[in-house]
Amino acid sequence: MVSSIAPVFRAADLRTVNLETVLSDRPAGNAYPGKRYVLRSATASVAGLRALGVDVAVLANNHTRDFLDGGVADTRAALAKAGVAAVGAGPDPQQAAVPYLRRVAGVDVAMVAYTSVDGSFVNDHYPHGPAVGDTSAKAGWQTRPRLWGFSGGGVTIPQRPRRIGDAWQAYRDMEPRLVPRTAAAVWASLQKVYPELQDWVARRGHGGPAMWDPRTSLEQVRRLARQAKLVVVQCHSGFQFQDASSENLRAMARQAIDAGADIVIAHHPHVLQGMEWYKGRLIAYSLGNFAFDQNFHATFPSTILRTVWDGDRLVQARAIPVELVGYRPVPVVDAAAARAVGRLAERSELSAVATRDASGAVRKFPRTRDAHSRPASFVLEHNTARITADPPVPTVQRVTVTAGGVDRLPADTLSRAQAPVPSGIEMGRDLFGWGGFEDETADPAVAPGGPPPVHWQARSSARVVTGDAAMGRRFLRLSAGGGGTALIRPVARVPLPRHHLYQTVAGEAVPADAEPAYSLRAMVRRSQGASPFARLTAYHFDDTDPTEDPESTQLKTLERPIDVPADERWHQINIDIPARYLDKGNLRGNAAMLYLGMKQSSDGAGRADFDDVELVEWRRPDGGGDFTRYDLVRNSTSRPQELSLQSFRLTAGVPGD
């Protein structure tokens, strides 16, 4: 699992990971009832942590209690047996909050971890109030009333039938008035009747992860700052799959630094988010997944944060780009490293915060950066990025876009258009990124005949060829048996964000950016007897209800033939896909699966080659806003257009122009 990344990880003096799984061999029937996503790994998998040389595993997250208190105990025992320290969870709130203390190279280091993801949000969504519809024995556990009441400790709750949401509301309303012992007794009574009520942190008489509390947590950080030279705080918070940090997490991180933390490292979103400097201290909002089998394309990019200290002075911070290939962490190089660093840079520059709107959907809204913070800057060196507090110095350049043409922008550049933006101009970004078929991973395990294409589902009829590629050194070749069809697709659907930014108007969230359009671009060549084609299947993915499994609805499939001459020469193709083509009824396409295919003539002859495959999102720039990693600019008019861009490059030693 970790052989590709272990050498660089083991090189550190102190190594830490967020362990977002239970280490236990208990049967599945012991899992937390009613929890949507339950994560468990066999205790033998602790060998992966040993291979990485992990010193301390953070357990302050929303999955440590997936097998209740028994799972917490199993995880701590498995780590202890393997010689890996644990921080952020325990059999009670006091032990969950115990910090990790160690002297490293003569420096006293303290690490503490908390989570704000406690399960209450799920309970708030259980149905409550007057029953609507079927509440008979055939109804689901969320709607079926159950008999519950409590008496003791000066508290009397009449025993009567209640749905789970009503029981939760009754407890939630009274808990602030109860002493801890009584609150624990009422909760234990409640869970006997409603075991599906979620509580993922150490409180109410049970164990689990350490919960963030602005009073007690900050006091602990203050004590540690007096006790140790270097204080590391890890926070598990924010919104999953969002590329902007949440207001809640931002407040936690700032408060921790104000209390004495020297660095704050956060997790929970499962995707890369930005970094920033607050009062001279580094905050990393989300490093993405590291070794995780989530089947979402957005969760594959990741990074390792490497920091070098002289006492409590941060000498250097560096991001090491990683990609999950077959769910295994692998370092990346060349264009893949530039994409990863560009992604980190633009998300650090992002002047937006993720929050829930009035409908309950999580969206990004503009925010103003405070005077004490500045976005982290990234300098791309040797396929890794030095993280600095020095703001980039953008330069202005004039780009002439040919009539009806498409121009490419440097891969290591962030840009924003300057007003006025000529009519017919759109900026584009490749949403996939792995259509060049180059070997951009630093993986020592190379398969015979060359590595398979990263993030593509390999088929026997598809292979990567090294030779006269349209771009670079490698390309994809499809072939099939007589009269057959060859087909290949990425391993996961590509997200299609309809809008990146919202604003509140009359109490409702409305888009603040232009409607997108999409296109499939590729270099293609074919021989006689081969008929290449492209296919795009649109889906609507809905994960807004935390009490139910997400819904994925297939909306429609678009298939287009690729008409290029059978001259075995490379040809640029472009297939436009207006956003409205991806919708069906009131459902909007927000994810897509791309297919490349070839139909072969009945005599068995023919092949089709593909290179530089891109699924591009096009938007008209507003003439300002944040610096963004754009790949392309196009002009839909019949005359050349001049566009003014403010840009800066990430590569070390390369001037902004």
Side-chain angles (χ1 to χ4, degrees):
M1 272 300 293
V2 298
S3 60
S4 297
I5 203 69
V8 68
F9 208 82
R10 293 184 65 92
D13 297 312
L14 178 64
R15 297 148 294 212
T16 179
V17 296
N18 169 46
L19 182 64
E20 200 152 350
T21 183
V22 175
L23 295 176
S24 177
D25 298 317
R26 294 171 184 260
N30 292 123
Y32 202 139
K35 194 168 191 291
R36 281 204 312 173
Y37 300 114
V38 174
L39 304 182
R40 179 193 52 172
S41 303
T43 54
S45 62
V46 76
L49 300 181
R50 288 200 304 266
L52 286 169
V54 170
D55 297 292
V56 55
V58 170
L59 303 182
N61 59 65
N62 56 305
H63 288 286
T64 294
R65 202 167 181 263
D66 280 6
F67 276 69
L68 303 171
D69 282 13
V72 176
D74 290 350
T75 302
R76 285 166 55 95
L79 291 172
K81 185 177 180 180
V84 179
V87 66
D92 54 54
Q94 292 71 37
Q95 294 186 65
V98 172
Y100 172 78
L101 302 171
R102 178 177 161 188
R103 193 168 182 81
V104 182
V107 177
D108 290 327
V109 178
M111 185 182 300
V112 67
Y114 313 96
T115 180
S116 68
V117 189
D118 60 9
S120 296
F121 178 73
V122 177
N123 297 336
D124 290 340
H125 278 72
Y126 288 144
H128 58 272
V132 178
D134 182 15
T135 58
S136 67
K138 294 182 179 180
W141 58 265
Q142 291 192 34
T143 57
R144 187 167 56 250
R146 296 174 237 180
L147 190 64
W148 176 67
F150 179 86
S151 180
V155 174
T156 300
I157 303 170
Q159 192 172 72
R160 64 178 177 83
R162 293 177 175 86
R163 296 194 297 173
I164 187 171
D166 297 314
W168 160 251
Q169 285 204 331
Y171 179 83
R172 184 194 61 188
D173 293 343
M174 76 173 67
E175 185 179 24
R177 304 190 302 271
L178 304 178
V179 298
R181 178 177 297 181
T182 303
V186 178
W187 180 258
S189 167
L190 191 65
Q191 284 239 292
K192 287 182 180 178
V193 180
Y194 307 97
E196 305 90 352
L197 282 173
Q198 303 296 302
D199 193 13
W200 305 334
V201 295
R203 60 179 174 180
R204 298 169 181 163
H206 61 73
M211 183 177 70
W212 170 263
D213 183 301
R215 295 174 295 105
T216 59
S217 302
L218 293 176
E219 180 54 37
Q220 182 182 33
V221 175
R222 293 187 190 99
R223 289 196 307 269
L224 291 173
R226 295 190 293 267
Q227 181 180 353
K229 184 72 171 176
L230 175 61
V231 179
V232 180
V233 173
Q234 298 203 41
C235 299
H236 198 79
S237 186
F239 293 111
Q240 295 188 111
F241 313 120
Q242 296 293 318
D243 55 16
S245 57
S246 70
E247 198 64 63
N248 178 49
L249 175 54
R250 294 174 62 79
M252 290 171 62
R254 281 163 168 70
Q255 290 168 8
I257 289 174
D258 288 338
D262 295 292
I263 187 171
V264 175
I265 304 166
H267 23 78
H268 181 56
H270 295 286
V271 296
L272 283 174
Q273 290 184 351
M275 302 183 191
E276 71 174 348
W277 299 93
Y278 172 73
K279 296 184 178 179
R281 304 301 192 199
L282 183 63
I283 302 172
Y285 283 109
S286 176
L287 302 180
N289 286 342
F290 185 59
F292 212 120
D293 59 350
Q294 283 182 311
N295 196 28
F296 297 106
H297 182 71
T299 65
F300 296 158
S302 178
T303 193
I304 295 171
L305 177 60
R306 175 183 180 269
T307 56
V308 180
W309 300 83
D310 181 4
D312 60 352
R313 183 174 69 90
L314 180 57
V315 176
Q316 187 188 91
R318 187 170 293 275
I320 302 173
V322 173
E323 194 78 13
L324 270 65
V325 181
Y327 311 117
R328 298 172 58 248
V330 178
V332 291
V333 297
D334 301 333
R339 284 195 305 272
V341 174
R343 187 181 289 108
L344 277 170
E346 73 170 0
R347 293 179 184 181
S348 298
E349 292 281 340
L350 187 62
S351 55
V353 63
T355 189
R356 292 191 186 276
D357 64 15
S359 72
V362 179
R363 306 187 192 279
K364 287 182 295 186
F365 292 84
R367 68 168 172 85
T368 302
R369 198 178 298 273
D370 60 71
H372 297 294
S373 67
R374 62 174 57 182
S377 297
F378 299 82
V379 180
L380 184 60
E381 303 169 325
H382 310 295
N383 299 304
T384 66
R386 179 162 41 89
I387 307 167
T388 80
D390 301 325
V393 180
T395 60
V396 178
Q397 54 183 320
R398 303 284 293 182
V399 177
T400 301
V401 191
T402 56
V406 175
D407 285 2
R408 187 167 295 278
L409 299 173
D412 60 350
T413 300
L414 267 62
S415 304
R416 63 184 179 192
Q418 289 192 304
V421 178
S423 61
I425 291 292
E426 291 177 305
M427 306 291 287
R429 53 193 303 159
D430 180 14
L431 299 178
F432 179 48
W434 292 90
F437 306 105
E438 301 299 323
D439 183 10
E440 297 169 347
T441 61
D443 188 341
V446 177
V454 174
H455 296 332
W456 289 88
Q457 182 174 297
R459 301 284 181 89
S460 58
S461 56
R463 62 190 182 99
V464 174
V465 178
T466 300
D468 56 338
M471 306 282 289
R473 299 180 62 246
R474 290 152 50 97
F475 61 91
L476 176 73
R477 171 160 290 171
L478 294 183
S479 58
T485 299
L487 198 65
I488 190 171
R489 66 170 178 83
V491 297
R493 285 172 281 183
V494 178
L496 302 178
R498 193 57 62 95
H499 291 285
H500 293 288
L501 194 64
Y502 287 78
Q503 57 189 347
T504 302
V505 177
E508 294 188 3
V510 297
D513 54 359
E515 283 282 336
Y518 304 99
S519 68
L520 172 64
R521 291 174 52 82
M523 297 296 289
V524 183
R525 68 181 176 187
R526 71 180 181 95
S527 65
Q528 290 287 347
S531 300
F533 64 91
R535 181 187 300 164
L536 193 75
T537 300
Y539 296 83
H540 177 78
F541 183 80
D542 184 3
D543 193 22
T544 56
D545 187 348
T547 71
E548 299 283 357
D549 288 337
E551 294 184 0
S552 183
T553 306
Q554 182 174 326
L555 301 181
K556 59 177 65 173
T557 296
L558 309 174
E559 184 169 311
R560 300 287 185 269
I562 297 175
D563 186 16
V564 295
D567 56 5
E568 301 205 34
R569 294 181 180 179
W570 291 105
H571 299 273
Q572 177 73 60
I573 65 108
N574 184 88
I575 301 174
D576 287 324
I577 310 165
R580 65 181 183 276
Y581 286 10
L582 306 177
D583 302 339
K584 186 175 183 180
N586 62 349
L587 294 181
R588 308 189 79 180
N590 58 15
M593 180 61 78
L594 167 68
Y595 298 84
L596 302 176
M598 185 212 67
K599 298 175 183 177
Q600 198 169 53
S601 61
S602 57
D603 61 7
R607 63 179 183 272
D609 298 336
F610 295 84
D611 200 0
D612 197 27
V613 180
E614 298 173 299
L615 181 57
V616 182
E617 171 196 272
W618 298 99
R619 290 183 196 270
R620 177 169 171 77
D622 57 6
D626 296 318
F627 285 98
T628 303
R629 184 186 56 82
Y630 290 113
D631 299 300
L632 304 163
V633 57
R634 74 176 178 181
N635 176 15
S636 61
T637 69
S638 58
R639 63 185 185 281
Q641 299 267 36
E642 272 205 353
L643 175 66
S644 179
L645 290 177
Q646 258 193 321
S647 304
F648 64 86
R649 301 189 73 171
L650 303 169
T651 306
V654 178
D657 57 356

